[in-house]
Amino acid sequence: MTQRKGEKPTISIQEHMAIDVCPGPIQPIKQISDYFPRYPRGLPPAAPHQVGHAGDRPNEDNPDRACAGASASLQAAKRDEEPDVEGYDSDDSTTLGTLEFSLLYDQENNALHCTINKAKGLKPMDHNGLSDPYVKLHLLPGASKANKLRTKTLHNTLNPVWSETLTYYGITDEDMVRKTLRISVCDEDKFRHNEFIGETRIPLKKLKPNQIKNFNNCLEKQLPVNKTEDKSLEERGRIMISLKYNTQKSCLVVGIIRCAHLAAMDANGFSDPYVKTYLKPDENKKSKHKTAVKKKTLNPEFNEEFCYDIKYADLTKKTLEVTVWDYDIGKSNDFIGGVSLGINANGERLKHWFDCLKNKDKKIERWHTLTNELPGSLND
């Protein structure tokens, strides 16, 4: 640009601002987070240790020196920074809270008692900064409504105290080896879907029979469930059966006590179960007995007994077939599962039959796993 003689040099507004505001090299713009480093709650940031003398001039006299000092302090703070348990984003597991609970495996009664005590520091899920938490339990693999248990809901709190015991029945030693208890904390919403807060999982093999084990676990984000594994290990439920041979009446007394974790056969996620028993071979087809129907449940209690008039010596030739059905109006009833006890059975089913034969006039109770194979050639 040429300048005429006698003309004053002109300076653009950009050059003017650069001269007044940026006397030195242009520095990169700092992020706002650099000026507000986060520190663990309860541990205030220590003031940077500076070595100086009484006669030193303050840093504002030297802007470059002040900027360098601040940058060094920020870098040191970042190096010393620890995770903020309550300050991370909402999807970080450290902000979800903790859950205190205890587990007890009652080996004699085949029951798993889960006592949900309390939670602390739950993640707020509602607009008022609070939650309406409840706890639900599932047994994996095979999580479904059939084995779901849940506590009551406590409203407007992040530190709920339930002190509630939930019990799974029909738990065997085999279950304790291969199953995992999933404990989830959720927020109940009246007008929307309930929201997941966090979960923890306990392999049941960590428990010792008849010993209470206490836990205080941090909740974690929801973990995926292996659906392929669930399908391959799908169960139809459990049934508790009692056997007793009555020597006075010369009859076999079969008790249908209860079922647990039955497969859901109806669209509402439940079933209307009842149980049928046969003593085979049954040439006259008179051995059929049937319990009452229990509406809308996957864990029915029947407590019914049936008598079969039979000589003690003939029991070794018989097979007891027990089937569980879902009652439907206006269409065929759905088969849920079945089990066979007798001389041709194996495992616990054979042992149960032999124990009955060896212990006359004594009621022997056992839990049995239902299979999806229809015993014999039974029709409903």
Side-chain angles (χ1 to χ4, degrees):
M1 178 178 178
T2 58
Q3 179 180 343
R4 296 179 181 178
K5 187 176 181 180
E7 189 178 79
K8 294 183 178 180
T10 58
I11 300 175
S12 67
I13 187 65
Q14 291 85 356
E15 292 173 320
H16 174 76
M17 294 301 293
I19 292 172
D20 288 348
V21 179
C22 302
I26 297 177
Q27 301 291 331
I29 299 176
K30 293 181 176 297
Q31 297 181 4
I32 192 170
S33 60
D34 290 340
Y35 296 96
F36 299 96
R38 293 182 297 177
Y39 300 93
R41 182 163 295 188
L43 296 176
H49 181 68
Q50 296 181 354
V51 178
H53 303 281
D56 288 347
R57 299 183 60 185
N59 282 337
E60 56 265 22
D61 292 347
N62 190 338
D64 292 339
R65 182 178 176 184
C67 183
S71 177
S73 299
L74 288 171
Q75 293 298 326
K78 281 187 171 293
R79 285 195 301 269
D80 297 336
E81 185 177 346
E82 296 181 2
D84 183 0
V85 173
E86 300 182 10
Y88 278 146
D89 294 336
S90 61
D91 62 348
D92 194 294
S93 62
T94 57
T95 67
L96 303 178
T98 60
L99 181 67
E100 293 184 21
F101 58 97
S102 63
L103 302 176
L104 170 64
Y105 173 46
D106 183 352
Q107 190 176 35
E108 181 179 355
N109 297 308
N110 296 107
L112 176 64
H113 303 287
C114 313
T115 300
I116 308 300
N117 296 320
K118 60 183 177 180
K120 290 184 179 180
L122 294 181
K123 172 186 172 184
M125 303 298 290
D126 299 335
H127 296 300
N128 60 2
L130 300 172
S131 294
D132 302 313
Y134 66 92
V135 176
K136 63 179 180 179
L137 310 180
H138 284 104
L139 284 175
L140 304 176
S144 65
K145 282 190 176 182
N147 64 36
K148 183 183 81 171
L149 300 175
R150 63 161 287 175
T151 67
K152 60 188 176 183
T153 300
L154 300 180
H155 296 281
N156 297 323
T157 178
L158 299 179
N159 300 286
V161 179
W162 289 282
S163 299
E164 191 171 341
T165 299
L166 307 174
T167 301
Y168 280 106
Y169 295 99
I171 301 298
T172 63
D173 291 342
E174 181 184 357
D175 293 328
M176 298 301 294
V177 172
R178 70 180 185 89
K179 284 190 175 288
T180 295
L181 179 66
R182 174 186 179 188
I183 306 178
S184 306
V185 182
C186 300
D187 170 62
E188 183 177 283
D189 280 319
K190 291 183 178 180
F191 306 107
R192 298 183 299 171
H193 290 295
N194 296 343
E195 296 179 288
F196 175 84
I197 297 178
E199 71 170 38
T200 184
R201 299 188 184 186
I202 305 296
L204 296 185
K205 61 185 178 182
K206 290 186 175 182
L207 306 181
K208 295 181 179 180
N210 307 313
Q211 293 185 19
I212 297 176
K213 188 172 179 63
N214 297 309
F215 297 87
N216 185 7
N217 289 10
C218 290
L219 297 176
E220 301 176 302
K221 293 181 289 185
Q222 194 164 18
L223 301 174
V225 176
N226 191 332
K227 295 184 177 180
T228 302
E229 182 184 12
D230 284 351
K231 188 173 182 180
S232 65
L233 295 173
E234 182 181 4
E235 296 177 357
R236 309 294 289 182
R238 308 287 174 85
I239 185 169
M240 190 178 197
I241 302 172
S242 68
L243 299 176
K244 182 179 79 169
Y245 186 77
N246 189 320
T247 55
Q248 293 182 350
K249 297 181 179 181
S250 295
C251 69
L252 175 67
V253 181
V254 177
I256 304 300
I257 301 173
R258 67 190 304 167
C259 293
H261 325 321
L262 294 180
M265 307 303 290
D266 297 336
N268 60 6
F270 293 96
S271 294
D272 301 317
Y274 67 94
V275 179
K276 294 193 302 179
T277 65
Y278 293 83
L279 193 60
K280 296 277 190 102
D282 182 20
E283 298 176 356
N284 298 323
K285 297 185 177 180
K286 294 182 179 180
S287 70
K288 175 182 174 181
H289 288 285
K290 184 164 63 173
T291 69
V293 176
K294 301 297 180 179
K295 294 289 186 179
K296 198 178 179 181
T297 178
L298 301 177
N299 299 280
E301 294 188 33
F302 298 100
N303 294 314
E304 297 187 36
E305 290 186 343
F306 309 116
C307 290
Y308 291 100
D309 294 327
I310 184 174
K311 295 179 180 179
Y312 177 77
D314 292 338
L315 284 177
T316 57
K317 306 173 186 177
K318 296 291 186 177
T319 297
L320 178 68
E321 294 183 344
V322 181
T323 56
V324 184
W325 299 79
D326 169 55
Y327 177 76
D328 286 320
I329 300 177
K331 61 178 182 178
S332 299
N333 297 333
D334 298 317
F335 174 71
I336 297 178
V339 63
S340 297
L341 308 178
I343 197 69
N344 296 319
N346 53 39
E348 285 296 321
R349 295 168 293 171
L350 178 61
K351 186 175 184 300
H352 192 183
W353 192 256
F354 272 135
D355 287 345
C356 173
L357 297 180
K358 291 188 298 182
N359 299 277
K360 299 176 184 178
D361 296 314
K362 181 179 180 181
K363 182 185 289 187
I364 309 294
E365 296 180 351
R366 293 281 191 281
W367 280 97
H368 297 283
T369 300
L370 298 172
T371 67
N372 56 5
E373 295 181 359
L374 193 62
S377 57
L378 302 178
N379 292 320
D380 183 38

